[in-house]
């Protein structure tokens, strides 16, 4: 049990209270951000004449030594400390003595943790953008290869109209592309430095907040010290964006589970990405897709949890806010794992394009096109709809599809049918004539593909240049 604040207390903290209050068990993952933030802080203190150059150098050396030792494994985070901030400060003082006690000048753990968390989340926002780019690449590749792979499109999970695999995948490209853009939006809004807000009302030391912001690669300092220590909006935004990513992954997973089922057999998962049954030897299960679908719940949970934690908090910092970490960390780990595994799974999955095409031909997916054919022959659409409805009923009784009818049978229902009906309702014609922007016709798709490639390439990595004057890995210099 070790604390930074023993002075005004006459009694030891109860053991259970200490354990309940402590956050080191989970905030130890902010170690690197804590060191980085402290290095920037101490440089600024010396620049402003608040600490001497000698003190600055001693503290910087001490911090670098701690970082190197943690990295090499020579030093383990000591969990008898209350939190990661206490651990770093205690280590520093143990190593360099008096100067170590000056590190916290003009700083509170409230603005310190606000900074650490922002630095951490900023890194994970970028990581998520990179993972989304990898997924988008796999999706794009499948689109490029399957402009002419026909498959049924569904509404209400009933076969509706024919489309292509490229078109179906294109829907997911748009979803994940929006997700990737959201990472850039969050980053731009969050990239301001809260350090210097102090406990809540700034400090009387002549801090240079612009300089600290610059050192850490922020666009500038935050502008209200109370908001700085109590704002977790950026984290809520990130969790909301991750929840949306998971929702998209979950829908895609659901489709893959269906496509991989015995009834569909549209895809075959690679052995490396499926699992067997302990009792049924024939089984090859889509567990990864099911887990991605299942894990969506815990990411939503983290978002709802944090929104609920924040909703009743008066300004400024309250200890409730320590609860911003565990579930959020879990959500970030979960979403990153899901993105990686899902990308690997769809990247190795085999498409059974023959079965997709056969399936597209069944279920009267060309009924709309048959009605459109009659419209072309002068029949009003509402009448054409009714004629084809009767035609479908007739086919269902005979268990055949529209193109299997003879011209005489067709003409018995409407004398507008001519020989060219067969070409008009062929799968190829049904798909290739759909040429409006966003439709599956290959010529329309080619244009969209070009835009997809461009969006992926032009935006790759672009929004995330935050390298400050201080490099994150400065302790590696020696
Ligand atoms: N462990 C705390 C947290 O995560 C750090 C801030 C502590 N501040 C305080 N006034 N007790 O929020």
């Amino acid at each position: 049990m070790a604390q930074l604040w023993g002075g005004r207390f006459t009694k030891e903290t109860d053991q259970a209270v200490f354990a309940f209050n402590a956050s080191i068990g989970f905030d130890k993952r902010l170690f690197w951000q804590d060191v980085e933030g402290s290095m920037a802080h101490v440089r600024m203190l010396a620049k402003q004449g608040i600490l001497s150059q000698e003190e600055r150098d001693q503290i910087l050396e001490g911090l670098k030594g701690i970082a190197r030792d943690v990295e090499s494994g020579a030093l383990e985070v000591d969990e008898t400390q209350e939190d990661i901030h206490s651990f770093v400060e205690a280590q520093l003082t143990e190593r360099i003595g008096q100067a170590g006690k000056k590190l916290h000048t003009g700083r509170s753990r409230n603005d310190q943790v606000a900074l650490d968390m922002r630095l951490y989340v900023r890194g994970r926002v970028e990581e998520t953008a990179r993972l989304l780019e990898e997924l988008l690449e796999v999706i794009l590749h499948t689109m490029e290869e399957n402009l002419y792979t026909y498959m049924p499109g569904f509404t209400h999970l009933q076969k509706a109209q024919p489309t292509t695999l490229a078109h179906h995948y294109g829907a997911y490209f748009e979803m994940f592309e929006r997700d990737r853009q959201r990472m850039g939006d969050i980053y731009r809004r969050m990239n301001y430095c809260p350090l210097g807000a102090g406990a809540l009302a700034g400090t009387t030391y002549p801090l240079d907040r612009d300089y600290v912001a610059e050192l850490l690669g922020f666009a500038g300092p935050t502008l209200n010290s109370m908001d700085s220590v109590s704002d977790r909006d950026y984290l809520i935004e990130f969790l909301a964006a991750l929840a949306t990513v998971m929702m998209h992954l979950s829908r895609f997973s659901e489709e893959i589970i269906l496509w991989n089922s015995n009834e569909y057999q549209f895809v075959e998962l690679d052995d490396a990405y499926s699992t067997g049954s302990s009792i049924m030897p024939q089984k090859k299960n889509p567990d990864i897709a099911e887990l991605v679908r299942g894990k969506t719940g815990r990411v939503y949970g983290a978002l709802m949890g944090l929104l609920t934690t924040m909703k009743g908090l008066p300004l400024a910092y309250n200890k409730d806010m320590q609860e911003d970490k565990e579930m959020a960390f879990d959500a970030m780990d979960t979403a990153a794992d899901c993105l990686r595994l899902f990308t690997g799974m769809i990247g190795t999955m085999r498409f059974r394009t023959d079965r997709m095409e056969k399936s597209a031909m069944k279920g009267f997916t060309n009924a709309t096109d048959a009605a459109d054919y009659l419209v072309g022959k002068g029949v009003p659409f509402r009448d054409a709809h009714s004629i084809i409805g009767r035609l479908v009923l007739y086919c269902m009784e005979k268990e055949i599809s529209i193109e299997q009818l003879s011209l005489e049978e067709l003409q018995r229902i409407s004398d507008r049918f001519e020989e060219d009906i067969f070409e008009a309702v062929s799968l190829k014609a049904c798909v290739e004539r759909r040429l409006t922007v966003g439709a599956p016709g290959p010529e329309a798709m080619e244009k969209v593909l070009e835009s997809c490639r461009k969006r992926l390439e032009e935006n790759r990595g672009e929004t995330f240049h935050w390298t400050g004057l201080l490099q994150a890995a400065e302790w590696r210099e020696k």
Side-chain angles (χ1 to χ4, degrees):
M1 228 160 47
Q3 287 137 341
L4 296 171
W5 38 262
R8 72 109 48 231
F9 288 77
T10 52
K11 235 169 135 181
E12 280 278 298
T13 318
D14 180 85
Q15 193 65 51
V17 171
F18 182 84
F20 189 66
N21 188 52
S23 54
I24 194 145
F26 48 89
D27 68 16
K28 62 184 171 195
R29 75 159 84 190
L30 300 178
F31 172 78
W32 304 102
Q33 289 73 23
D34 201 72
V35 170
E36 192 182 351
S38 289
M39 285 169 76
H41 182 62
V42 85
R43 282 167 189 279
M44 180 276 294
L45 290 177
K47 182 178 92 63
Q48 298 300 95
I50 301 164
L51 292 188
S52 70
Q53 292 302 316
E54 201 196 331
E55 286 165 336
R56 173 195 112 132
D57 293 344
Q58 267 183 291
I59 294 174
L60 285 178
E61 276 320 300
L63 288 170
K64 286 181 197 178
I66 296 168
R68 275 195 297 268
D69 290 351
V70 166
E71 191 177 48
S72 73
L75 175 65
E76 259 183 58
V77 173
D78 163 17
E79 298 208 12
T80 64
Q81 293 288 342
E82 182 182 331
D83 54 27
I84 194 63
H85 327 296
S86 313
F87 167 73
V88 173
E89 195 179 315
Q91 265 298 316
L92 186 67
T93 307
E94 200 179 299
R95 290 176 183 222
I96 66 167
Q98 286 305 313
K101 295 186 187 167
K102 295 193 174 180
L103 169 63
H104 209 52
T105 312
R107 187 174 75 170
S108 157
R109 276 185 297 162
N110 297 352
D111 59 345
Q112 188 178 357
V113 76
L115 171 68
D116 292 2
M117 200 60 182
R118 253 185 224 240
L119 288 170
Y120 182 81
V121 172
R122 191 173 70 170
R124 300 223 60 170
V125 167
E126 179 178 32
E127 176 198 32
T128 307
R130 297 292 93 82
L131 290 171
L132 284 164
E133 279 162 12
E134 280 162 35
L135 174 57
L136 286 167
E137 249 164 64
V138 173
I139 292 174
L140 189 58
H141 181 72
T142 300
M143 288 170 73
E144 281 168 337
E145 307 247 287
N146 292 284
L147 278 180
Y148 294 91
T149 304
Y150 304 128
M151 67 180 287
F154 297 82
T155 64
H156 313 272
L157 207 52
Q158 313 263 352
K159 283 182 197 173
Q161 291 173 345
T163 181
T164 65
L165 181 55
H167 188 236
H168 198 114
Y169 260 50
Y172 287 104
F173 187 95
E174 297 301 327
M175 292 180 233
F176 292 117
E177 166 59 14
R178 287 194 294 273
D179 288 332
R180 197 199 55 75
Q181 285 175 21
R182 264 187 275 276
M183 296 304 136
D185 299 342
I186 293 168
Y187 159 73
R188 278 185 289 278
R189 211 166 12 256
M190 76 174 286
N191 198 28
Y192 293 88
C193 183
L195 200 71
L200 75 160
T203 95
T204 53
Y205 295 100
L207 305 186
D208 184 347
R209 292 194 59 208
D210 289 288
Y211 182 62
V212 176
E214 195 187 346
L215 285 177
L216 294 168
F218 286 103
T222 52
L223 294 183
N224 179 289
S225 60
M226 289 179 95
D227 178 52
S228 306
V229 291
S230 65
D231 168 35
R232 297 294 181 273
D233 290 4
Y234 66 90
L235 184 54
I236 290 170
E237 279 187 47
F238 185 37
L239 291 177
L242 290 181
T244 308
V245 168
M246 290 302 297
M247 180 266 289
H248 292 151
L249 285 176
S250 184
R251 293 183 73 177
F252 207 164
S253 293
E254 168 67 14
E255 298 211 283
I256 285 165
I257 293 162
L258 284 172
W259 293 351
N260 185 62
S261 68
N262 284 332
E263 282 66 26
Y264 280 74
Q265 296 179 30
F266 282 6
V267 297
E268 196 183 326
L269 292 172
D270 193 80
D271 278 359
Y273 283 88
S274 353
T275 47
S277 158
S278 60
I279 173 170
M280 297 165 282
Q282 84 281 15
K283 287 279 213 161
K284 188 171 151 187
N285 296 328
D287 289 32
I288 300 307
E290 290 171 7
L291 275 171
V292 169
R293 189 178 59 183
K295 284 175 189 289
T296 302
R298 58 203 274 182
V299 178
Y300 289 5
L303 171 63
M304 292 319 295
L306 183 58
L307 281 168
T308 311
T309 295
M310 295 302 294
K311 78 179 253 299
L313 299 188
L315 290 177
Y317 179 85
N318 300 271
K319 194 61 174 250
D320 313 48
M321 293 166 79
Q322 182 165 287
E323 287 297 310
D324 67 351
K325 297 183 189 63
E326 276 170 293
M327 288 207 289
F329 290 156
D330 179 76
M332 295 175 215
D333 295 346
T334 301
D337 282 351
C338 288
L339 277 168
R340 275 189 203 100
L341 269 291
F342 190 89
T343 302
M345 179 181 72
I346 65 165
T348 52
M349 188 170 78
R350 205 170 65 80
F351 294 101
R352 305 192 55 181
T353 54
D354 54 325
R355 299 216 22 121
M356 288 181 167
E357 188 163 332
K358 264 197 205 121
S359 170
M361 289 168 72
K362 287 189 205 131
F364 305 102
T365 56
N366 54 1
T368 314
D369 297 84
D372 288 342
Y373 168 86
L374 289 177
V375 171
K377 302 280 176 181
V379 181
F381 181 76
R382 197 43 64 208
D383 295 339
H385 186 287
S386 155
I387 292 168
I388 302 301
R390 276 181 279 135
L391 199 66
V392 167
L393 204 59
Y394 177 78
C395 288
M396 280 166 69
E397 274 161 20
K398 295 191 70 177
E399 293 188 16
I400 55 173
S401 52
I402 296 174
E403 64 280 10
Q404 288 172 317
L405 291 165
S406 67
L407 189 56
E408 283 140 47
E409 283 172 302
L410 285 161
Q411 285 173 341
R412 241 179 279 145
I413 294 181
S414 167
D415 57 8
R416 304 296 177 92
F417 283 119
E418 292 169 52
E419 191 56 43
D420 57 351
I421 175 66
F422 297 106
E423 199 277 327
V425 297
S426 72
L427 198 51
K428 187 170 148 58
C430 291
V431 173
E432 291 179 13
R433 288 201 192 130
R434 294 188 138 74
L435 292 173
T436 41
V437 176
E443 284 160 49
M445 277 296 303
E446 284 282 12
K447 288 189 195 129
V448 169
L449 266 177
E450 209 173 293
S451 148
C452 293
R453 272 183 227 115
K454 218 168 139 199
R455 280 179 285 163
L456 188 57
E457 285 318 315
E458 281 182 2
N459 299 319
R460 199 190 293 275
E462 222 181 36
T463 44
F464 300 95
H465 295 305
W466 64 60
T467 316
L469 301 179
L470 176 69
Q471 293 298 319
E474 194 184 358
W475 56 82
R476 292 215 182 85
E477 277 165 21
K478 275 201 183 172

